[in-house]
Amino acid sequence: MTKRWVPELLAPAGNLEKLKVAILYGANAVYLGGQKFGLRSAADNFTYEELEEGVRFAHERNAQVYVVLNSFLHDKELDELPEFLEFLESIGVDALIVSDLGVITTIQNHCNIEIHLSTQASCLNVYAAKMWKEMGVTRIVLGREVSLKEASKIKKETGLEVEMFIHGSMCMAYSGNCVISNYTQGRDSNRGGCAHSCRFEYSLDFEEEQKKAYFMSSKDLEGIRVLPEFIDCEIDSLKVEGRMKSHHYVGTISKVYSDAIKYYEKEGHLLSEDMKEWETELRKITHRDYTQASLIEPAGADSIYTERLHDENEYVVVGVVLDVHEDDHLVIEVRSAFRPGDTLELVPFSGPSQEIEVSFATTIMDEPYEKTKPGYLVKIPYVKEAQKWNIVRARLS
C-alpha cells in the first residue's frame, strides 16, 4: 500500500526538558532559542551544552531541531553572530529561523545551515516568497493572516516549503509586528521583549460611556478540525506556538496532533471517534476560547477574546516520571505538591490517560509523606502504561 504523505509536526521547546517532552509525545521537529538573537528573551532558552544535548537527543529519535535567530540585529550583534553559527553547524542543527536580511547574509557567509523565513518577516504572497527564495530561503513560515488556500498557492508557485501555525496563542498585530510593549512597558517586542500588552484590560473613554475591556486580545488558534485541509494543501510543517508555555501544554499538544496525523495517515480521513477525545484533551491545557482564525475565512470580530485568561478545566503538572519499577512503583520528580489519597492522571505517550489513586507516596527509602513538595523524588503506585518522561497531572480543585 502506498504510504500517504503527511506533514511535519513542529513543537516549541522552551528548554531542554520541554524538547524531550515534545519529541517523546510525537513532535517530528522542535524550534528553540539560544541565549541571544531570538524573540523570546523571557524563555529559559538553551546554553551551548543544552543545545548539543538537545540536538543529539532529537537526532537519535529522527527528529529535527530548528534554532530561532529572528530578532532584528544591529551591526555589533551581527559581529557576534558568526561564532554562534559555527557552533550550531558543528552540532548538526537542521535549520535556522530568520527575519533579518543582514542575518541571512551573515549565515550564508559563515555556514551551510538551511534558512527558514520567520513569520516575523510578514511574507504573505507569491512575489515576496519568490524574492526570499532568491535570497536563499528554503522554507517560509507564513503569517497568521494567510489562509490555507493562499498558502497552497504560494507553495505551488514558488516551489518553497511552507510552514503554518495550527495551534496556540494569536498575535493581534500583523505577524508579530507590534510596538505596544515599547510604549506601555519600554520593552522592544521586535527584539525579544514582548510584554503581551494586548492581553491587558484597557479603559475606553467614549462620549457616551466609559468602560474597561480586553478589546485587543485574540482567542487562541485551534486547527484540529481542519487538519485534512492542511494535508490537502500539502502544508509541509504544522507549527505549534508556545516556547514559554508549560510541559503540560507541550506534551498534550504534541500528543494530540501527532495522534491525529497518524490516524489520517492510516485511514485517509479524520472521521474518528477519537476526535471528541482529542478536543477534550486540548481543553485540559490552559487556553483562551478557541478560533480557527484566518485558516479558512478572514478572522472577524468573533475572534476577539474579551475576558481574562482562565479555564475551569485547567490541569496542573504534578510530576514527571523518572523511573518505572514494573508491577511495583513509579518514581516521579514532583513539580506541584500532592498528598496520599489524591487522584492523579498519567499521560502516556500514546493511548488514553490513566488514573492513579495515590494509595501511598514515600521517599526513595520508603518513608511516607503526608504532603509532597516540588523538587522531591517520590514513589507512587505503578501504572502499567507508564514510561520515563511521562507527565503526571492533576485537576485543579
Side-chain angles (χ1 to χ4, degrees):
M1 187 176 76
T2 303
K3 191 174 181 181
R4 289 187 179 86
W5 177 88
V6 292
E8 168 190 89
L9 177 62
L10 174 59
N15 58 35
L16 181 58
E17 191 171 291
K18 292 176 188 174
L19 176 150
K20 294 178 180 179
V21 168
I23 291 171
L24 290 171
Y25 275 99
N28 308 114
V30 293
Y31 63 101
L32 55 88
Q35 297 295 311
K36 295 194 293 186
F37 311 122
L39 279 179
R40 289 290 178 267
S41 59
D44 292 343
N45 293 320
F46 284 62
T47 64
Y48 277 35
E49 292 76 17
E50 290 168 337
L51 277 166
E52 191 165 5
E53 182 178 342
V55 171
R56 185 169 56 246
F57 182 92
H59 287 177
E60 286 173 354
R61 291 158 181 81
N62 298 316
Q64 308 284 299
V65 176
Y66 309 145
V67 174
V68 291
L69 303 174
N70 56 349
S71 187
F72 292 95
L73 303 188
H74 292 268
D75 285 328
K76 181 178 182 300
E77 294 162 316
L78 285 177
D79 291 340
E80 298 170 358
L81 186 57
E83 182 269 337
F84 188 49
L85 295 174
E86 289 164 10
F87 169 73
L88 295 178
E89 187 168 46
S90 74
I91 62 173
V93 163
D94 298 286
L96 304 173
I97 304 173
V98 178
S99 306
D100 186 325
L101 278 168
V103 175
I104 290 177
T105 302
T106 305
I107 291 169
Q108 291 169 331
N109 288 340
H110 291 88
C111 69
N112 295 302
I113 305 175
E114 278 197 27
I115 300 171
H116 296 176
L117 185 73
S118 170
T119 188
Q120 194 76 7
S122 291
C123 181
L124 308 179
N125 58 66
V126 170
Y127 290 111
K130 286 182 176 177
M131 187 278 290
W132 287 112
K133 184 178 182 180
E134 290 175 5
M135 297 300 299
V137 166
T138 58
R139 177 185 291 188
I140 303 283
V141 187
L142 292 169
R144 293 171 175 85
E145 301 79 19
V146 175
S147 68
L148 282 163
K149 186 177 178 182
E150 291 169 323
S152 178
K153 174 182 169 69
I154 291 170
K155 177 181 169 72
K156 288 176 182 172
E157 295 193 18
T158 65
L160 284 165
E161 291 185 4
V162 294
E163 179 179 311
M164 290 186 77
F165 285 92
I166 192 169
H167 198 100
S169 296
M170 297 285 291
C171 184
M172 59 76 62
Y174 221 74
S175 296
N177 293 310
C178 175
V179 292
I180 302 175
S181 294
N182 301 58
Y183 289 101
T184 60
Q185 307 285 318
R187 291 166 50 172
D188 192 339
S189 53
N190 291 296
R191 288 174 51 80
C194 176
H196 304 282
S197 301
C198 58
R199 305 297 185 187
F200 298 168
E201 186 180 45
Y202 290 91
S203 296
L204 301 179
D205 189 358
F206 299 113
E207 280 189 14
E208 301 81 11
E209 65 171 336
Q210 293 181 336
K211 65 178 183 179
K212 293 185 176 181
Y214 297 91
F215 70 101
M216 290 191 289
S217 183
S218 171
K219 293 178 181 175
D220 290 349
L221 176 66
E222 182 196 49
I224 188 77
R225 287 273 175 182
V226 290
L227 179 58
E229 282 84 348
F230 275 93
I231 296 174
D232 290 345
C233 292
E234 297 192 351
I235 305 304
D236 297 277
S237 181
L238 312 185
K239 188 169 195 169
V240 175
E241 178 275 346
R243 276 197 288 140
M244 293 174 62
K245 293 183 177 174
S246 68
H247 299 70
H248 186 209
Y249 172 90
V250 171
T252 301
I253 298 287
S254 297
K255 180 181 177 184
V256 167
Y257 281 95
S258 174
D259 284 351
I261 290 170
K262 288 173 184 170
Y263 185 93
Y264 190 94
E265 183 178 18
K266 181 180 178 184
E267 304 292 341
H269 60 79
L270 276 187
L271 302 175
S272 168
E273 293 181 357
D274 292 336
M275 177 59 78
K276 187 175 180 181
E277 174 64 22
W278 294 332
E279 290 183 318
T280 298
E281 284 295 305
L282 293 178
R283 279 150 184 77
K284 289 182 178 179
I285 56 176
T286 302
H287 67 282
R288 302 171 186 86
D289 290 350
Y290 285 131
T291 173
Q292 292 182 353
S294 298
L295 292 175
I296 305 298
E297 300 289 340
D302 61 353
S303 67
I304 297 173
Y305 186 66
T306 57
E307 303 173 39
R308 282 181 179 275
L309 178 61
H310 70 279
D311 187 353
E312 294 177 356
N313 296 318
E314 189 173 336
Y315 282 66
V316 63
V317 172
V318 299
V320 175
V321 176
L322 294 185
D323 205 357
V324 178
H325 294 255
E326 192 169 344
D327 296 327
D328 192 44
H329 68 270
L330 310 178
V331 176
I332 69 169
E333 182 180 309
V334 177
R335 303 297 165 82
S336 296
F338 63 93
R339 298 172 184 272
D342 287 352
T343 300
L344 308 181
E345 206 172 88
L346 179 94
V347 185
F349 295 135
S350 63
S353 301
Q354 304 294 318
E355 278 198 355
I356 307 174
E357 298 294 339
V358 185
S359 56
F360 65 86
T362 73
T363 69
I364 300 300
M365 303 303 291
D366 295 323
E367 296 170 353
Y369 284 118
E370 290 186 5
K371 181 181 180 181
T372 65
K373 291 183 179 179
Y376 282 10
L377 294 180
V378 177
K379 287 184 179 179
I380 62 172
Y382 172 74
V383 178
K384 188 176 180 182
E385 290 78 6
Q387 291 181 264
K388 185 177 180 180
W389 295 113
N390 278 160
I391 291 170
V392 179
R393 66 189 178 192
R395 189 168 187 165
L396 290 172
S397 56

